[in-house]
Amino acid sequence: MRIVELGDGRPEIAVVAAIHGDEPCGVRAVDRLIADEMAYERPIKLIVANEEALEAGERYLEEDLNRAFPGDPDADTHEGRLAHQLLSELTGCTTLALHSTQSYAEPFAVIDTMDEVARGVAPHLPVEAVVQTDAFTEGRLIEDPHTIEVECGLQGSEEAADNAYWLVRAFLAATGALSAPGSESVVDAGGRGDVDVFRLSERIPKPSATEYEVFVHNFERVEVGERFAAADGEPLIAETPFYPVLLSAYGYEHEFGYAAEYVDSFA
């Protein structure tokens, strides 16, 4: 685990990259931020978490780090021990964790519950939506209070790396560590307009098959009777309306992704 502290004093703001080793966008954003050599109004902590998985180009070595929290210093797995170490580093910090997906190109935020941190920070992030995952957070970092995850874009893409950098800049502005970027950047210094909020309601399981397809778009409502996916050519039909979130053919081993309900929007 690589840790860099910037600014004077004890950090109360943290950015975490490479929770998954096959998601390099966050590391590139962290390295770019370090190279900028900016003056910080509040001290920050930058963490590259799973360096071993990152070097191997794998999502994880022994278990998914983002399902291993709070971890244990005596765990049998590398990620179990790392989860404990990482959580210790984040004690007392408002935290942004950077991820990427195989299912959606635009950035969106992921939270546990709509608390004061989410309400205060999320509207100032350049995101398409906020996803509340309180029913599905077991073992994830966002179970820890004052933590927001962002999905920066498609895994391995240049766009995801660039999005990650501007998401971090916006997060640091929203938490008072940096002045807001100028109007020429993609981050609006005055915050965004309304941001749609969705709440995950259930997982969408995959039938056993060798080939999978997805026919609908994330965050776009699927109606009753609509074909939304297929397994070996056999269509899956929506029995109730839902909004797909993180839906992809091969992003997860045992499910296509999640069904969500629309909650509200907030500024």
Side-chain angles (χ1 to χ4, degrees), residues 161-175:
D162 194 51
N163 289 342
Y165 173 80
W166 289 110
L167 283 158
V168 173
R169 287 286 306 272
F171 170 73
L172 295 177
T175 52

Side-chain angles (χ1 to χ4, degrees), residues 101 103-104 108-110 129-133 151 197-204 216-220 222 242-248 252 255-262:
T101 82
S103 61
Y104 197 63
F108 63 93
V110 182
V130 174
V131 178
Q132 186 176 331
T133 63
E151 298 287 353
V197 181
F198 299 85
R199 184 175 185 270
L200 299 188
S201 54
E202 62 180 332
R203 293 183 175 91
I204 302 176
V216 296
H217 299 288
N218 284 285
F219 301 112
E220 294 184 11
V222 175
F242 69 94
Y243 289 88
V245 175
L246 290 170
L247 215 67
S248 67
Y252 296 104
E255 59 251 0
F256 282 103
Y258 296 87
E261 58 187 6
Y262 179 79

